[in-house]
Amino acid sequence: MSDTITYQYSQPSTLKKSTLSDELFLAKYSEVQKNNAPCFFWGSLTDPYTVARCLLTLSNVVKSSFSLSPFELAMLKDPIVTAGNEKIRFEGFSHCAGVYARVDVLGDGHDGEFLENGTTNVDFNQPMLAALSNIRRSEKVLLSIGQKEVALHREGEKVVERKVPLPVKWIKGLTSVQIFLAESEKVHSFNRLQALQLFKSIPPGKPKTDYYLITRGGKPMFSPVKAGDAITVGGIHRLKLIEPLLAIADELRVFPHATMQSTTWQIYIGAVRFSLSISRDAWRGFSGEGAALESLIEDVPDNWVQSLDNYSYANQAFNPTLLAVNEGLDLQKVDNITGRLSAIGLLGYDLDENNFFYRRLPFKLNRIMSLNPRLKDAEKLLQEGKVQIINRQDDKVEARVEGSGVHHMVMLNGDKEQCTCTWFSKNQGERGICKHILAVKKLLAN
């Protein structure tokens, strides 16, 4: 083995040398000014009954918990509401952040005017839930969405929900769930009858073992026995949250994550779409998955993040590959910025459009570190000089990281990563990389 290789770590202030295309892009989008209209959308819903049923289901998701205490339940709130790009989106998490739900009211689902794009976060209290429960199929319902409130207007009645703070736990959950969605692909599509039959095979109670979505004789079913092409579903009882919508569904599509870290169940009802994403296990919340850590390894200047935020605001969508091609930007650089925009809650992901959408949220760039404690810990290890590269040959790297009374060994070999710490031994890389591997990768990237 060769002698220890010493790497000096210093916080980089810029990426690689800027190109002309970089400078043109920054100049173009640094000038974008965001409007501050008090109202984002005003208009009628073309199918208020379906929207109401979906919003009630979303509220049931938000009120659900699969691992939290009553004290923790009281700290979390209701939907994030985004109006823009001719769509209205309502999003929320279960209290434990292991279930993510979204209602998309598409272009044909409303007849109104988008005065400005924007996002707010409100509580759905009992008056709103009662109003939604009483909506009839033929009823005329108006919806207004603004900076400080969401209001429902029906039969001379107006129900208003005021803006509330967005829980930090939700921002952390949004980071991972959007990255998982971007790595998911459709595997199954079922009609209403098939979907109803499939959900009848969900076992009673709260099974503690995995179940698998399989097809036998062309019939889909959930089975405790794994087959070769099965989709793994942990905490399968959580799917019962969307069962009431199947009776009015046109179609159910299933999108598993590439390595089964989540599954997404998307219900289509006319011009309304309901999505439910569940984490790998009932005890795992999206807020703790660390899916964005790899994209946060390379540092990105603040002005780049600001300009990409302005770009997303102006276009109401964010396709990293298309952006890189159209603007002549480095794809790795754009991917790193995508991770940062996701890490502060600014990007969501639309599976049907295969594209990120934009949430207009207030943000602080220094929040990235506070929302990712492993990243913060990795930075501290580097600043204190506790990371040493022992050997480096081609793609193989061996490093020693000083811990509390112990030294951890990190091995990188191409795509394979190992660490002797407890986190890695327990999770085997499934819940994001540990702080020791993260620190070594940041040192190598410097």
Side-chain angles (χ1 to χ4, degrees):
M1 182 179 294
S2 61
D3 295 336
T4 299
I5 305 170
T6 301
Y7 285 72
Q8 183 67 37
Y9 178 77
S10 60
Q11 185 72 31
S13 58
T14 60
L15 286 175
K16 299 170 184 177
K17 186 177 179 180
S18 296
T19 65
L20 178 60
S21 59
D22 292 347
E23 295 171 1
L24 290 174
F25 178 84
L26 288 171
K28 185 192 308 183
Y29 285 101
S30 63
E31 301 300 321
V32 171
Q33 297 295 317
K34 297 180 182 178
N35 297 322
N36 289 310
C39 183
F40 305 142
F41 171 83
W42 167 269
S44 61
L45 299 172
T46 56
D47 188 357
Y49 177 82
T50 294
V51 174
R53 301 278 78 73
C54 289
L55 291 179
L56 288 169
T57 302
L58 175 64
S59 181
N60 287 335
V61 171
V62 172
K63 290 187 292 185
S64 300
S65 175
F66 300 95
S67 66
L68 292 192
S69 68
F71 173 75
E72 291 170 311
L73 299 184
M75 297 176 66
L76 301 178
K77 301 293 183 182
D78 269 28
I80 303 165
V81 187
T82 298
N85 203 19
E86 299 302 313
K87 298 178 182 68
I88 304 169
R89 305 183 193 266
F90 300 82
E91 304 172 85
F93 284 91
S94 61
H95 284 305
C96 54
V99 180
Y100 165 78
R102 190 174 79 231
V103 179
D104 296 328
V105 183
L106 307 177
D108 293 336
H110 55 77
D111 182 14
E113 183 179 2
F114 288 85
L115 305 173
E116 178 58 80
N117 61 70
T119 302
T120 189
N121 187 62
V122 298
D123 266 341
F124 271 11
N125 293 305
Q126 193 54 43
M128 177 64 80
L129 297 177
L132 291 170
S133 298
N134 292 328
I135 289 176
R136 302 182 300 275
R137 290 184 182 274
S138 58
E139 188 175 343
K140 182 176 179 61
V141 176
L142 296 175
L143 177 70
S144 61
I145 302 168
Q147 286 184 8
K148 298 182 179 180
E149 66 179 40
V150 172
L152 198 69
H153 310 254
R154 55 182 294 268
E155 297 183 342
E157 175 189 11
K158 179 180 179 181
V159 183
V160 179
E161 295 291 6
R162 306 293 180 185
K163 183 177 181 178
V164 295
L166 179 62
V168 171
K169 191 181 187 76
W170 281 28
I171 299 177
K172 294 175 68 175
L174 290 172
T175 302
S176 289
V177 80
Q178 310 314 326
I179 291 174
F180 285 161
L181 285 172
E183 297 170 351
S184 301
E185 292 188 5
K186 186 187 75 172
V187 171
H188 292 294
S189 177
F190 304 121
N191 61 33
R192 183 185 306 167
L193 180 58
Q194 290 173 317
L196 288 168
Q197 290 175 337
L198 171 63
F199 272 61
K200 285 181 180 178
S201 65
I202 295 178
K206 299 179 180 179
K208 295 183 179 180
T209 58
D210 289 338
Y211 268 69
Y212 304 92
L213 172 55
I214 62 174
T215 55
R216 288 181 181 170
K219 179 182 177 181
M221 63 183 300
F222 292 114
S223 169
V225 180
K226 186 176 183 180
D229 58 350
I231 294 174
T232 306
V233 185
I236 193 172
H237 54 286
R238 296 176 291 175
L239 291 181
K240 294 178 183 178
L241 289 164
I242 59 173
E243 194 167 15
L245 293 178
L246 297 179
I248 58 174
D250 299 318
E251 184 183 2
L252 170 67
R253 296 179 188 174
V254 185
F255 301 78
H257 178 259
T259 60
M260 303 295 176
Q261 297 306 304
S262 66
T263 55
T264 298
W265 309 75
Q266 208 150 268
I267 297 174
Y268 299 77
I269 313 169
V272 183
R273 188 173 59 199
F274 189 99
S275 304
L276 188 87
S277 298
I278 60 174
S279 60
R280 176 61 181 81
D281 296 291
W283 56 268
R284 283 169 59 169
F286 285 112
S287 57
E289 294 300 276
L293 290 173
E294 290 278 2
S295 62
L296 298 177
I297 289 173
E298 260 194 71
D299 294 277
V300 176
D302 290 355
N303 65 330
W304 266 102
V305 180
Q306 295 280 3
S307 293
L308 264 294
D309 175 53
N310 289 343
Y311 168 87
S312 303
Y313 165 78
N315 291 277
Q316 286 300 287
F318 187 84
N319 185 314
T321 303
L322 193 61
L323 170 65
V325 171
N326 289 344
E327 300 289 345
L329 305 177
D330 179 75
L331 184 57
Q332 182 60 51
K333 181 189 297 182
V334 175
D335 283 344
N336 290 341
I337 299 172
T338 303
R340 276 166 166 71
L341 294 178
S342 296
I344 45 184
L346 301 182
L347 298 181
Y349 196 81
D350 190 310
L351 283 163
D352 286 344
E353 296 183 358
N354 196 29
N355 210 7
F356 290 94
F357 64 87
Y358 179 68
R359 297 186 199 90
R360 185 178 173 183
L361 294 174
F363 68 92
K364 296 178 180 178
L365 292 173
N366 58 12
R367 182 181 285 177
I368 292 175
M369 200 70 75
S370 65
L371 292 175
N372 293 274
R374 271 177 271 171
L375 180 64
K376 186 176 181 179
D377 290 343
E379 289 279 7
K380 185 178 179 181
L381 288 171
L382 290 166
Q383 290 166 3
E384 294 177 354
K386 294 183 177 180
V387 183
Q388 286 185 308
I389 306 298
I390 297 175
N391 188 31
R392 184 176 186 181
Q393 296 178 350
D394 300 324
D395 289 339
K396 296 181 180 179
V397 176
E398 183 179 358
R400 181 170 59 234
V401 183
E402 184 181 341
S404 300
V406 65
H407 284 83
H408 300 289
M409 299 304 298
V410 172
M411 300 288 293
L412 306 180
N413 187 359
D415 294 334
K416 295 181 180 180
E417 304 165 352
Q418 283 186 308
C419 181
T420 57
C421 72
T422 304
W423 173 270
F424 184 87
S425 299
K426 180 180 178 181
N427 297 290
Q428 295 294 311
E430 277 201 353
R431 305 192 68 196
I433 56 180
C434 67
K435 62 183 179 182
H436 310 106
I437 294 177
L438 185 58
V440 172
K441 285 189 168 186
K442 281 187 71 67
L443 180 58
L444 294 172
N446 183 23

